[in-house]
Amino acid sequence: MDKRTLLYFTGSLLCIVIVLILLRGQDDSDEKAKMLAYLEKKYDQEFVIGEVETYDLGFAAGEWIEAQATPVFDDKLLFIVTRKGNHSTYKDTYEKKVVDTTLAEELSPRIKELSEDAQFYVQSSYDGELNKRLTKLSLNKIQPSVVVGIPVKTPFDKENYTERILTFLNEMERQEFEHYTVRIDFTEGNKANVMDKYMKLSQKDLTQTEKEKQDFSEVKRQYEEAIIEKFTFNSNEVDFKNDPYFIQSLFNGTFVNK
């Protein structure tokens, strides 16, 4: 291949790449506009859409399109908008994000009573009706799952937390949730940075790209290895009893539901 032919070939290839990038940019702009129209019609609010990401799920599944978004009035309420490439219908996690954030703000002071070093995240479903602006939220319609991480020194004495856990469950009962779960992970104190990263990532709505960039699966693995003791309560499976011995029996795995 002579020099002139090589230059021609290289120039042609570069033009093709530029055209593809421009077309892709146009596709992303169109996708953003459609996402904004969907959200603004659904919630009667203004939103900001982040970078649109497209994933190839394989020949049979097609493409998966998603982007992070925030309402204009609060850039901390980060959520996800998605659609399958061969469908025109969008889905989003905005309602869930509002519910989770509202509940987290409500529970935060109570969780700090478990330990000043405690961190947590909330995942929930909502069985009530929300208006378009999501301003009428009934806490007793939320079905939350609360995961708390507490760094501790070893040897670890579970009895030091019996009364505090009982107080926290009493607070959950007071909210009259339809049902709820609580998991408290006691982790190695010298791995508090692992717990910190895991909890912060778990609070966010991450796209697939963000999960890969943050190496979330590895962070989760390291966090689970740092757990030295767990306390769990599921109100669907166990009837709550306002008794320290009830907490101790759950801790020890000796409780029998009658």
Side-chain angles (χ1 to χ4, degrees):
M1 185 182 293
D2 59 30
K3 186 175 181 180
R4 181 177 295 177
T5 304
L6 179 61
L7 288 172
Y8 176 79
F9 176 77
T10 304
S12 299
L13 184 62
L14 182 60
C15 287
I16 292 171
V17 170
I18 291 172
V19 169
L20 289 174
I21 290 173
L22 290 174
L23 288 174
R24 185 65 179 183
Q26 183 62 47
D27 287 346
D28 286 354
S29 296
D30 291 346
E31 193 69 47
K32 279 188 178 182
K34 291 175 182 177
M35 286 178 171
L36 278 174
Y38 155 77
L39 290 172
E40 289 173 1
K41 180 179 180 181
K42 183 176 180 180
Y43 296 111
D44 192 24
Q45 298 178 29
E46 293 184 350
F47 294 88
V48 177
I49 303 291
E51 182 180 350
V52 176
E53 301 171 5
T54 303
Y55 308 96
D56 186 355
L57 302 177
F59 176 74
E63 290 183 329
W64 179 262
I65 300 167
E66 67 179 359
Q68 291 178 321
T70 57
V72 169
F73 72 89
D74 190 348
D75 61 6
K76 297 185 185 66
L77 287 173
L78 187 70
F79 65 97
I80 304 291
V81 189
T82 63
R83 76 172 176 89
K84 285 188 176 181
N86 57 348
H87 290 79
S88 59
T89 304
Y90 289 98
K91 295 183 179 180
D92 69 272
T93 61
Y94 184 42
E95 290 185 9
K96 183 178 183 305
K97 188 66 177 181
V98 171
V99 171
D100 290 351
T101 301
T102 301
L103 183 56
E105 291 172 352
E106 175 77 14
L107 294 179
S108 182
R110 306 302 181 192
I111 288 174
K112 287 301 179 182
E113 291 174 4
L114 287 168
S115 170
E116 279 297 322
D117 298 320
Q119 295 195 47
F120 73 102
Y121 66 90
V122 177
Q123 294 181 334
S124 59
S125 59
Y126 187 65
D127 199 29
E129 292 185 2
L130 293 169
N131 62 8
K132 276 192 170 185
R133 289 184 171 270
L134 308 185
T135 53
K136 293 183 179 179
L137 183 64
S138 302
L139 288 177
N140 63 352
K141 297 292 185 179
I142 303 175
Q143 300 156 22
S145 173
V146 184
V147 178
V148 182
I150 300 177
V152 294
K153 295 179 180 179
T154 53
F156 164 62
D157 187 355
K158 294 181 285 190
E159 291 189 7
N160 289 337
Y161 290 88
T162 299
E163 289 293 341
R164 282 179 271 183
I165 292 173
L166 183 62
T167 300
F168 180 67
L169 290 187
N170 267 302
E171 176 61 23
M172 296 293 285
E173 289 288 316
R174 187 183 69 80
Q175 299 289 352
E176 297 184 348
F177 297 121
E178 185 175 338
H179 64 79
Y180 66 93
T181 63
V182 171
R183 192 184 89 205
I184 302 174
D185 300 329
F186 296 90
T187 65
E188 297 176 44
N190 60 356
K191 294 185 178 178
N193 60 323
V194 173
M195 183 193 76
D196 178 70
K197 188 171 185 179
Y198 172 74
M199 290 292 173
K200 285 179 178 176
L201 288 177
S202 297
Q203 290 171 20
K204 297 179 179 179
D205 282 14
L206 301 176
T207 62
Q208 295 302 314
T209 297
E210 279 294 303
K211 286 180 181 178
E212 292 170 5
K213 187 187 297 183
Q214 300 288 351
D215 202 6
F216 181 69
S217 59
E218 175 60 19
V219 172
K220 183 179 180 181
R221 184 193 66 79
Q222 292 178 7
Y223 173 75
E224 289 175 347
E225 285 186 351
I227 297 171
I228 59 177
E229 188 73 59
K230 284 184 181 182
F231 172 89
T232 58
F233 176 79
N234 185 332
S235 68
N236 264 349
E237 299 175 354
V238 177
D239 295 327
F240 174 74
K241 294 178 174 57
N242 189 17
D243 185 338
Y245 293 106
F246 168 70
I247 302 299
Q248 291 171 8
S249 65
L250 288 176
F251 239 145
N252 298 327
T254 59
F255 177 77
V256 178
N257 201 21
K258 297 180 180 179

